[in-house]
Amino acid sequence: MDDRQNNSEQIVSPCRYDPSNRESGCKIEKSELNQLIKNLQQRGYVVVGPRVQDEAIIYAEVNGLADLPQGFSDAQEPGKYRVALT
């Protein structure tokens, strides 16, 4: 049994996800995102999200809001890919 299953403390969220409703979910304020990532890491989770690396947007471990590619997107065309400033 891994440590996440042994942890009796539950993560309480005001959000409710309904897989039958594509519009379900919740919005997390930027000011709360660093704390959410920290809480998940303290419970043994590895948080993965988009990052800019080697002129591409990839998915890798993130440790906070500063790791996320704010102000970047990708531009794709047949046979072409580039990271673009938004």
Side-chain angles (χ1 to χ4, degrees):
M1 182 177 272
D2 83 24
D3 291 336
R4 290 177 293 212
Q5 293 171 338
N6 286 331
N7 190 341
S8 62
E9 183 180 344
Q10 292 184 359
I11 298 174
V12 177
S13 171
C15 305
R16 297 290 178 252
Y17 175 68
D18 177 1
S20 67
N21 178 358
R22 291 183 145 182
E23 302 298 319
S24 72
C26 74
K27 179 180 177 182
I28 298 172
E29 299 297 328
K30 283 184 183 181
S31 61
E32 298 170 333
L33 186 56
N34 281 326
Q35 188 61 47
L36 174 61
I37 291 170
K38 181 180 175 183
N39 289 348
L40 289 168
Q41 289 172 331
Q42 288 174 344
R43 288 171 173 80
Y45 290 91
V46 174
V47 180
V48 175
R51 296 190 71 164
V52 175
Q53 180 179 314
D54 299 328
E55 299 182 22
I57 297 177
I58 64 162
Y59 285 95
E61 185 173 352
V62 294
N63 293 303
L65 185 60
D67 290 340
L68 300 173
Q70 299 176 61
F72 291 92
S73 68
D74 62 349
Q76 299 182 37
E77 298 175 31
K80 294 182 180 181
Y81 174 89
R82 67 182 173 88
V83 173
L85 292 171
T86 56

Coordinates of all heavy atoms in Angstrom, one line a residue:
M1 N 0.9 -1.2 0.0 CA 0.0 0.0 0.0 C 0.9 1.2 0.0 O 1.8 1.3 0.8 CB -0.9 0.0 1.2 CG -1.9 1.1 1.3 SD -2.9 1.0 2.8 CE -4.2 0.0 2.1
D2 N 0.6 2.2 -0.9 CA 1.5 3.4 -0.9 C 1.1 4.4 0.1 O 0.0 4.3 0.7 CB 1.7 3.9 -2.3 CG 0.6 4.8 -2.8 OD1 -0.1 5.5 -2.0 OD2 0.5 5.0 -4.1
D3 N 2.0 5.4 0.4 CA 1.7 6.4 1.4 C 0.5 7.2 1.2 O -0.1 7.6 2.2 CB 3.0 7.3 1.6 CG 4.2 6.6 2.1 OD1 4.0 5.6 2.8 OD2 5.3 7.0 1.8
R4 N 0.1 7.4 0.0 CA -1.1 8.2 -0.3 C -2.3 7.5 0.2 O -3.2 8.1 0.7 CB -1.2 8.5 -1.8 CG -0.2 9.5 -2.3 CD -0.3 9.7 -3.8 NE 0.0 8.4 -4.4 CZ 0.6 8.3 -5.6 NH1 0.9 9.3 -6.3 NH2 0.9 7.1 -6.1
Q5 N -2.3 6.2 0.2 CA -3.5 5.4 0.6 C -3.5 5.4 2.2 O -4.6 5.2 2.8 CB -3.5 4.0 0.0 CG -3.7 4.1 -1.5 CD -3.5 2.7 -2.1 OE1 -2.8 1.9 -1.6 NE2 -4.1 2.5 -3.3
N6 N -2.4 5.4 2.8 CA -2.3 5.4 4.3 C -2.7 6.7 4.9 O -3.0 6.7 6.1 CB -0.9 5.0 4.7 CG -0.5 3.6 4.5 OD1 -1.4 2.7 4.5 ND2 0.7 3.3 4.2
N7 N -2.6 7.8 4.2 CA -2.9 9.1 4.7 C -4.4 9.2 5.0 O -5.2 9.2 4.1 CB -2.4 10.2 3.7 CG -2.5 11.6 4.3 OD1 -3.1 11.8 5.3 ND2 -1.8 12.5 3.7
S8 N -4.8 9.3 6.3 CA -6.2 9.4 6.7 C -6.7 10.8 6.4 O -8.0 11.0 6.4 CB -6.3 9.0 8.1 OG -5.6 9.9 9.0
E9 N -5.9 11.8 6.3 CA -6.3 13.2 6.0 C -6.8 13.3 4.6 O -6.1 12.9 3.7 CB -5.2 14.2 6.3 CG -5.6 15.6 6.1 CD -4.5 16.6 6.4 OE1 -3.5 16.1 7.0 OE2 -4.6 17.7 6.0
Q10 N -8.0 13.7 4.4 CA -8.6 13.9 3.0 C -8.4 15.3 2.5 O -8.4 16.2 3.3 CB -10.1 13.6 3.0 CG -10.4 12.1 3.3 CD -11.8 11.8 3.2 OE1 -12.6 12.7 2.9 NE2 -12.2 10.6 3.4
I11 N -8.2 15.4 1.2 CA -8.1 16.7 0.6 C -9.6 17.1 0.4 O -10.3 16.4 -0.3 CB -7.4 16.6 -0.7 CG1 -5.9 16.2 -0.5 CG2 -7.4 18.0 -1.5 CD1 -5.1 16.0 -1.7
V12 N -9.9 18.3 0.9 CA -11.3 18.8 0.8 C -11.3 19.8 -0.3 O -10.5 20.7 -0.3 CB -11.8 19.4 2.1 CG1 -13.2 20.0 2.0 CG2 -11.7 18.3 3.2
S13 N -12.2 19.7 -1.2 CA -12.3 20.6 -2.3 C -13.8 21.1 -2.5 O -14.7 20.3 -2.4 CB -11.8 20.0 -3.6 OG -12.1 20.8 -4.7
P14 N -14.0 22.4 -2.7 CA -15.3 22.8 -3.0 C -15.8 22.4 -4.4 O -16.9 22.6 -4.8 CB -15.2 24.3 -2.9 CG -13.8 24.6 -3.3 CD -13.0 23.4 -2.8
C15 N -14.9 21.9 -5.2 CA -15.1 21.5 -6.6 C -15.7 20.1 -6.7 O -15.3 19.2 -6.0 CB -13.8 21.6 -7.4 SG -13.0 23.2 -7.3
R16 N -16.6 20.0 -7.6 CA -17.2 18.7 -7.8 C -17.1 18.4 -9.3 O -17.6 19.1 -10.2 CB -18.7 18.6 -7.4 CG -18.9 18.9 -5.9 CD -18.4 17.7 -5.1 NE -18.5 17.9 -3.7 CZ -17.5 18.2 -2.9 NH1 -16.3 18.2 -3.3 NH2 -17.7 18.3 -1.6
Y17 N -16.4 17.3 -9.7 CA -16.3 16.9 -11.0 C -17.3 15.8 -11.4 O -17.5 14.9 -10.7 CB -14.9 16.3 -11.3 CG -14.7 15.8 -12.7 CD1 -14.7 16.6 -13.8 CD2 -14.6 14.4 -12.9 CE1 -14.6 16.1 -15.1 CE2 -14.5 13.9 -14.2 CZ -14.5 14.8 -15.3 OH -14.3 14.3 -16.5
D18 N -18.0 16.1 -12.5 CA -19.1 15.2 -13.0 C -18.6 14.7 -14.4 O -18.7 15.5 -15.3 CB -20.4 15.9 -13.0 CG -21.5 15.0 -13.6 OD1 -21.3 13.9 -13.9 OD2 -22.6 15.6 -13.7
P19 N -18.2 13.5 -14.5 CA -17.7 13.0 -15.8 C -18.7 13.1 -16.9 O -18.4 13.1 -18.1 CB -17.2 11.6 -15.6 CG -17.7 11.2 -14.2 CD -18.0 12.5 -13.5
S20 N -20.0 13.1 -16.5 CA -21.1 13.1 -17.5 C -21.4 14.6 -18.0 O -22.1 14.8 -19.0 CB -22.4 12.5 -17.0 OG -22.9 13.3 -15.9
N21 N -20.7 15.6 -17.3 CA -21.0 17.0 -17.7 C -19.6 17.6 -18.0 O -18.8 17.9 -17.2 CB -21.6 17.7 -16.5 CG -21.9 19.1 -16.8 OD1 -21.5 19.7 -17.8 ND2 -22.5 19.8 -15.8
R22 N -19.4 17.9 -19.3 CA -18.1 18.5 -19.8 C -17.9 19.8 -19.2 O -16.8 20.3 -19.1 CB -18.1 18.6 -21.3 CG -18.0 17.3 -21.9 CD -17.9 17.5 -23.4 NE -17.1 16.4 -24.0 CZ -16.8 16.3 -25.2 NH1 -17.2 17.2 -26.1 NH2 -16.0 15.4 -25.6
E23 N -18.9 20.5 -18.7 CA -18.8 21.9 -18.1 C -18.5 21.8 -16.6 O -18.2 22.9 -16.1 CB -20.0 22.7 -18.4 CG -20.4 22.8 -19.9 CD -19.4 23.5 -20.7 OE1 -18.8 24.5 -20.2 OE2 -19.1 23.1 -21.8
S24 N -18.5 20.7 -16.0 CA -18.2 20.6 -14.6 C -16.7 20.9 -14.3 O -15.9 20.7 -15.1 CB -18.7 19.3 -14.0 OG -17.8 18.3 -14.4
G25 N -16.4 21.2 -13.1 CA -15.1 21.4 -12.6 C -15.1 22.7 -11.8 O -16.1 23.1 -11.2
C26 N -13.9 23.3 -11.6 CA -13.9 24.5 -10.8 C -12.7 25.3 -11.3 O -11.8 24.9 -12.0 CB -13.8 24.2 -9.3 SG -12.2 23.6 -8.8
K27 N -12.7 26.6 -10.8 CA -11.6 27.5 -11.1 C -10.8 27.7 -9.9 O -11.3 27.9 -8.8 CB -12.3 28.8 -11.6 CG -11.3 29.9 -11.9 CD -12.0 31.2 -12.3 CE -11.0 32.3 -12.6 NZ -11.7 33.5 -12.9
I28 N -9.5 27.7 -10.0 CA -8.6 27.9 -8.9 C -7.9 29.2 -9.2 O -7.3 29.4 -10.3 CB -7.5 26.8 -8.8 CG1 -8.2 25.4 -8.5 CG2 -6.5 27.1 -7.7 CD1 -7.3 24.2 -8.6
E29 N -7.9 30.1 -8.2 CA -7.2 31.4 -8.4 C -5.7 31.2 -8.4 O -5.2 30.3 -7.7 CB -7.6 32.3 -7.2 CG -9.1 32.6 -7.2 CD -9.6 33.4 -8.4 OE1 -8.9 34.2 -9.0 OE2 -10.8 33.2 -8.8
K30 N -5.0 32.1 -9.1 CA -3.6 32.0 -9.1 C -3.0 32.0 -7.7 O -2.0 31.3 -7.4 CB -3.0 33.1 -10.0 CG -3.1 33.0 -11.4 CD -2.4 34.1 -12.1 CE -2.6 34.0 -13.6 NZ -1.9 35.1 -14.3
S31 N -3.5 32.8 -6.9 CA -3.0 33.0 -5.5 C -3.1 31.7 -4.7 O -2.4 31.5 -3.8 CB -3.7 34.1 -4.8 OG -5.1 33.8 -4.7
E32 N -4.0 30.8 -5.1 CA -4.1 29.5 -4.4 C -3.4 28.4 -5.0 O -3.2 27.3 -4.4 CB -5.6 29.1 -4.4 CG -6.5 30.2 -3.7 CD -8.0 29.9 -3.8 OE1 -8.4 29.4 -4.9 OE2 -8.7 30.3 -2.9
L33 N -2.9 28.6 -6.3 CA -2.2 27.5 -7.0 C -0.9 27.0 -6.3 O -0.7 25.8 -6.2 CB -1.9 27.9 -8.4 CG -1.4 26.8 -9.3 CD1 -2.4 25.6 -9.4 CD2 -1.2 27.3 -10.7
N34 N -0.1 27.9 -5.9 CA 1.2 27.4 -5.2 C 0.8 26.6 -4.0 O 1.5 25.6 -3.7 CB 2.0 28.6 -4.8 CG 2.8 29.2 -6.0 OD1 3.2 28.4 -6.9 ND2 3.0 30.5 -6.0
Q35 N -0.1 27.0 -3.2 CA -0.5 26.2 -2.0 C -1.1 24.9 -2.4 O -0.7 23.9 -1.7 CB -1.5 27.0 -1.1 CG -1.7 26.4 0.2 CD -0.5 26.3 1.1 OE1 0.3 27.2 1.2 NE2 -0.2 25.1 1.6
L36 N -1.9 24.8 -3.4 CA -2.4 23.5 -3.9 C -1.3 22.6 -4.3 O -1.2 21.4 -3.9 CB -3.3 23.7 -5.0 CG -3.9 22.4 -5.7 CD1 -4.6 21.6 -4.7 CD2 -4.7 22.8 -6.9
I37 N -0.3 23.1 -5.0 CA 0.8 22.2 -5.5 C 1.6 21.8 -4.3 O 2.0 20.6 -4.1 CB 1.7 23.0 -6.5 CG1 1.0 23.2 -7.8 CG2 3.1 22.3 -6.7 CD1 1.6 24.2 -8.8
K38 N 1.9 22.7 -3.3 CA 2.6 22.3 -2.1 C 1.9 21.3 -1.3 O 2.5 20.3 -0.8 CB 2.8 23.6 -1.2 CG 3.6 23.4 0.0 CD 3.7 24.7 0.8 CE 4.4 24.5 2.1 NZ 4.5 25.7 2.9
N39 N 0.6 21.4 -1.1 CA -0.2 20.4 -0.4 C -0.2 19.0 -1.1 O 0.0 18.0 -0.4 CB -1.7 20.9 -0.3 CG -1.8 22.0 0.6 OD1 -0.9 22.4 1.4 ND2 -3.0 22.7 0.6
L40 N -0.3 19.0 -2.4 CA -0.2 17.7 -3.1 C 1.2 17.1 -2.9 O 1.3 15.9 -2.7 CB -0.5 17.9 -4.6 CG -2.0 18.2 -4.9 CD1 -2.1 18.7 -6.3 CD2 -2.9 17.0 -4.6
Q41 N 2.3 17.9 -3.0 CA 3.6 17.4 -2.9 C 3.8 16.8 -1.5 O 4.5 15.8 -1.3 CB 4.6 18.4 -3.2 CG 4.7 18.7 -4.7 CD 5.6 19.9 -5.0 OE1 5.7 20.8 -4.2 NE2 6.1 19.9 -6.2
Q42 N 3.3 17.5 -0.5 CA 3.4 17.0 0.9 C 2.7 15.7 1.1 O 3.1 14.9 2.0 CB 2.9 18.1 1.9 CG 3.8 19.3 2.0 CD 3.1 20.4 2.9 OE1 1.9 20.4 3.1 NE2 3.9 21.3 3.3
R43 N 1.8 15.4 0.3 CA 1.1 14.1 0.4 C 1.7 13.0 -0.5 O 1.2 12.0 -0.6 CB -0.4 14.3 0.0 CG -1.2 15.1 1.1 CD -2.6 15.5 0.6 NE -3.3 16.0 1.7 CZ -3.3 17.3 2.2 NH1 -2.4 18.1 1.6 NH2 -4.0 17.7 3.1
G44 N 2.8 13.4 -1.1 CA 3.6 12.4 -1.9 C 3.3 12.4 -3.4 O 3.8 11.5 -4.1
Y45 N 2.5 13.3 -3.8 CA 2.2 13.4 -5.3 C 3.3 14.1 -6.0 O 3.9 15.1 -5.5 CB 0.8 14.0 -5.5 CG -0.3 13.2 -5.1 CD1 -0.8 13.4 -3.8 CD2 -0.9 12.3 -5.9 CE1 -1.9 12.6 -3.3 CE2 -2.0 11.6 -5.5 CZ -2.5 11.7 -4.2 OH -3.6 11.0 -3.8
V46 N 3.5 13.8 -7.3 CA 4.3 14.5 -8.2 C 3.4 15.3 -9.1 O 2.5 14.7 -9.7 CB 5.2 13.6 -9.1 CG1 6.0 14.4 -10.1 CG2 6.2 12.8 -8.2
V47 N 3.5 16.6 -9.1 CA 2.6 17.5 -9.8 C 3.2 17.7 -11.2 O 4.4 18.2 -11.3 CB 2.4 18.8 -9.1 CG1 1.4 19.7 -9.9 CG2 1.8 18.6 -7.7
V48 N 2.5 17.4 -12.2 CA 3.0 17.6 -13.6 C 2.1 18.6 -14.3 O 0.9 18.7 -14.2 CB 2.9 16.2 -14.3 CG1 3.3 16.3 -15.8 CG2 3.8 15.2 -13.6
G49 N 2.8 19.4 -15.1 CA 2.1 20.5 -15.9 C 2.9 20.9 -17.1 O 4.0 20.4 -17.3
P50 N 2.4 21.8 -17.8 CA 3.2 22.3 -19.0 C 4.3 23.2 -18.6 O 4.2 24.0 -17.6 CB 2.1 23.2 -19.8 CG 1.1 23.6 -18.7 CD 1.1 22.5 -17.7
R51 N 5.5 23.0 -19.3 CA 6.7 23.8 -19.0 C 7.3 24.1 -20.4 O 7.2 23.4 -21.3 CB 7.7 23.1 -18.2 CG 7.1 22.8 -16.8 CD 8.2 22.3 -15.9 NE 9.1 23.4 -15.6 CZ 10.0 23.4 -14.6 NH1 10.1 22.3 -13.8 NH2 10.8 24.4 -14.4
V52 N 8.0 25.2 -20.5 CA 8.8 25.5 -21.7 C 10.2 25.0 -21.5 O 10.9 25.2 -20.5 CB 8.9 27.1 -21.9 CG1 9.8 27.3 -23.1 CG2 7.5 27.6 -22.2
Q53 N 10.6 24.1 -22.5 CA 12.0 23.6 -22.4 C 12.4 23.3 -23.8 O 11.7 22.8 -24.7 CB 11.9 22.2 -21.6 CG 13.3 21.5 -21.5 CD 13.2 20.3 -20.8 OE1 12.6 20.2 -19.7 NE2 13.8 19.2 -21.3
D54 N 13.6 23.7 -24.1 CA 14.2 23.5 -25.5 C 13.3 24.0 -26.6 O 13.1 23.2 -27.6 CB 14.6 22.0 -25.6 CG 15.6 21.5 -24.6 OD1 16.5 22.3 -24.2 OD2 15.6 20.4 -24.2
E55 N 12.8 25.2 -26.4 CA 11.9 25.8 -27.4 C 10.6 25.0 -27.7 O 10.1 25.0 -28.9 CB 12.7 26.1 -28.7 CG 13.8 27.0 -28.5 CD 14.6 27.4 -29.8 OE1 14.0 27.2 -30.9 OE2 15.7 27.8 -29.6
A56 N 10.1 24.3 -26.7 CA 8.9 23.5 -26.9 C 8.1 23.5 -25.5 O 8.7 23.7 -24.5 CB 9.2 22.0 -27.2
I57 N 6.8 23.3 -25.6 CA 6.0 23.2 -24.4 C 5.9 21.7 -24.2 O 5.4 21.0 -25.0 CB 4.7 23.9 -24.6 CG1 4.9 25.4 -24.7 CG2 3.8 23.6 -23.3 CD1 3.6 26.2 -25.0
I58 N 6.4 21.3 -23.0 CA 6.4 19.9 -22.7 C 5.6 19.7 -21.3 O 5.3 20.7 -20.7 CB 7.8 19.3 -22.5 CG1 8.5 20.0 -21.3 CG2 8.6 19.4 -23.8 CD1 9.7 19.3 -20.8
Y59 N 5.3 18.5 -21.0 CA 4.8 18.2 -19.6 C 5.9 17.6 -18.8 O 6.6 16.7 -19.1 CB 3.6 17.2 -19.7 CG 2.4 17.9 -20.2 CD1 2.0 17.8 -21.6 CD2 1.5 18.6 -19.4 CE1 0.9 18.5 -22.1 CE2 0.4 19.3 -19.9 CZ 0.1 19.2 -21.2 OH -1.0 19.9 -21.7
A60 N 6.1 18.3 -17.6 CA 7.1 17.9 -16.7 C 6.7 18.3 -15.3 O 5.7 18.9 -15.1 CB 8.4 18.5 -17.0
E61 N 7.5 17.9 -14.3 CA 7.2 18.2 -12.9 C 7.2 19.7 -12.7 O 8.1 20.4 -13.2 CB 8.2 17.6 -12.0 CG 7.9 17.8 -10.5 CD 8.8 17.0 -9.6 OE1 9.6 16.2 -10.0 OE2 8.7 17.2 -8.3
V62 N 6.2 20.2 -12.0 CA 6.2 21.7 -11.6 C 6.2 21.8 -10.1 O 5.6 21.0 -9.4 CB 5.0 22.4 -12.2 CG1 5.0 22.4 -13.7 CG2 3.7 21.8 -11.8
N63 N 6.8 22.8 -9.6 CA 6.9 23.1 -8.2 C 6.2 24.3 -7.7 O 6.1 24.7 -6.6 CB 8.4 23.2 -7.7 CG 9.1 21.8 -7.9 OD1 8.6 20.8 -7.3 ND2 10.1 21.8 -8.7
G64 N 5.6 25.0 -8.7 CA 4.8 26.2 -8.4 C 4.4 27.0 -9.6 O 4.8 26.6 -10.8
L65 N 3.7 28.1 -9.4 CA 3.2 28.9 -10.5 C 4.3 29.4 -11.4 O 4.2 29.5 -12.6 CB 2.4 30.1 -9.9 CG 1.7 31.0 -10.9 CD1 0.7 30.3 -11.7 CD2 1.1 32.2 -10.1
A66 N 5.5 29.7 -10.8 CA 6.6 30.2 -11.6 C 7.1 29.2 -12.7 O 7.7 29.6 -13.7 CB 7.8 30.6 -10.7
D67 N 6.9 27.9 -12.5 CA 7.3 26.9 -13.5 C 6.4 26.8 -14.7 O 6.8 26.2 -15.7 CB 7.3 25.5 -12.8 CG 8.4 25.4 -11.8 OD1 9.4 26.2 -11.8 OD2 8.3 24.5 -10.9
L68 N 5.2 27.4 -14.6 CA 4.2 27.3 -15.7 C 4.5 28.3 -16.8 O 5.0 29.4 -16.5 CB 2.8 27.4 -15.2 CG 2.4 26.4 -14.1 CD1 1.0 26.7 -13.6 CD2 2.4 25.0 -14.7
P69 N 4.2 28.0 -18.0 CA 4.6 28.9 -19.2 C 3.6 30.0 -19.4 O 2.9 30.1 -20.3 CB 4.6 27.9 -20.4 CG 3.6 26.9 -20.0 CD 3.7 26.7 -18.5
Q70 N 3.6 31.0 -18.4 CA 2.7 32.1 -18.5 C 3.2 33.0 -19.7 O 4.3 33.4 -19.8 CB 2.8 32.9 -17.2 CG 2.3 32.1 -16.1 CD 2.4 32.8 -14.8 OE1 1.8 33.8 -14.6 NE2 3.2 32.3 -13.8
G71 N 2.2 33.3 -20.6 CA 2.5 34.2 -21.7 C 3.1 33.5 -22.9 O 3.5 34.1 -23.9
F72 N 3.0 32.1 -22.9 CA 3.5 31.3 -24.0 C 2.3 30.4 -24.5 O 1.4 30.0 -23.8 CB 4.6 30.4 -23.6 CG 5.9 31.1 -23.3 CD1 6.2 31.5 -22.0 CD2 6.8 31.4 -24.3 CE1 7.4 32.1 -21.7 CE2 8.0 32.0 -24.0 CZ 8.3 32.4 -22.7
S73 N 2.4 30.1 -25.8 CA 1.5 29.1 -26.4 C 2.3 28.4 -27.5 O 3.5 28.8 -27.7 CB 0.2 29.7 -27.0 OG 0.6 30.6 -28.1
D74 N 1.7 27.5 -28.1 CA 2.4 26.9 -29.2 C 1.7 27.2 -30.5 O 0.5 27.4 -30.5 CB 2.6 25.4 -29.0 CG 1.3 24.6 -28.9 OD1 0.3 25.2 -28.8 OD2 1.3 23.4 -29.0
A75 N 2.4 27.3 -31.6 CA 1.9 27.5 -32.9 C 2.2 26.3 -33.8 O 3.4 26.0 -33.9 CB 2.4 28.8 -33.5
Q76 N 1.2 25.7 -34.4 CA 1.5 24.5 -35.1 C 0.9 24.6 -36.5 O -0.2 25.2 -36.7 CB 0.8 23.3 -34.4 CG 1.4 23.0 -33.1 CD 0.8 21.8 -32.4 OE1 0.5 20.8 -33.1 NE2 0.6 21.9 -31.1
E77 N 1.6 24.2 -37.5 CA 1.2 24.1 -38.9 C 1.7 22.7 -39.4 O 2.6 22.1 -38.8 CB 1.7 25.2 -39.7 CG 1.3 26.6 -39.3 CD 2.0 27.7 -40.1 OE1 2.4 27.4 -41.3 OE2 2.3 28.7 -39.5
P78 N 1.2 22.2 -40.5 CA 1.8 21.0 -41.0 C 3.3 21.1 -41.2 O 3.8 21.9 -41.8 CB 1.1 20.9 -42.4 CG -0.2 21.6 -42.3 CD 0.1 22.8 -41.4
G79 N 4.0 20.2 -40.4 CA 5.4 20.1 -40.5 C 6.1 21.2 -39.7 O 7.4 21.3 -39.8
K80 N 5.4 22.0 -38.9 CA 6.0 23.1 -38.2 C 5.5 23.2 -36.8 O 4.3 22.9 -36.5 CB 5.8 24.5 -38.9 CG 6.4 24.6 -40.2 CD 6.1 26.0 -40.7 CE 6.8 26.2 -42.1 NZ 6.5 27.5 -42.6
Y81 N 6.4 23.5 -35.8 CA 6.0 23.7 -34.4 C 6.9 24.8 -33.9 O 8.1 24.8 -34.1 CB 6.2 22.4 -33.6 CG 5.9 22.6 -32.1 CD1 4.7 22.5 -31.6 CD2 7.0 23.0 -31.3 CE1 4.4 22.6 -30.3 CE2 6.7 23.2 -29.9 CZ 5.5 23.0 -29.4 OH 5.2 23.2 -28.1
R82 N 6.3 25.7 -33.1 CA 7.2 26.7 -32.5 C 6.4 27.2 -31.2 O 5.2 27.2 -31.2 CB 7.5 27.9 -33.4 CG 6.4 28.7 -33.8 CD 6.8 29.8 -34.8 NE 5.7 30.5 -35.3 CZ 5.1 31.6 -34.7 NH1 5.6 32.1 -33.6 NH2 4.0 32.2 -35.3
V83 N 7.2 27.7 -30.3 CA 6.6 28.3 -29.1 C 6.5 29.8 -29.4 O 7.4 30.4 -30.0 CB 7.6 28.2 -27.9 CG1 7.1 29.0 -26.7 CG2 7.7 26.7 -27.5
A84 N 5.3 30.3 -29.1 CA 5.0 31.7 -29.4 C 4.6 32.5 -28.1 O 4.0 31.9 -27.2 CB 3.9 31.8 -30.4
L85 N 5.0 33.8 -28.1 CA 4.5 34.6 -27.0 C 3.1 35.0 -27.3 O 2.8 35.3 -28.4 CB 5.4 35.9 -26.9 CG 6.9 35.6 -26.4 CD1 7.7 36.9 -26.6 CD2 6.9 35.2 -25.0
T86 N 2.3 35.1 -26.2 CA 0.9 35.5 -26.4 C 0.7 36.9 -25.9 O 1.5 37.5 -25.2 CB 0.0 34.6 -25.6 OG1 0.3 34.5 -24.3 CG2 0.0 33.2 -26.2

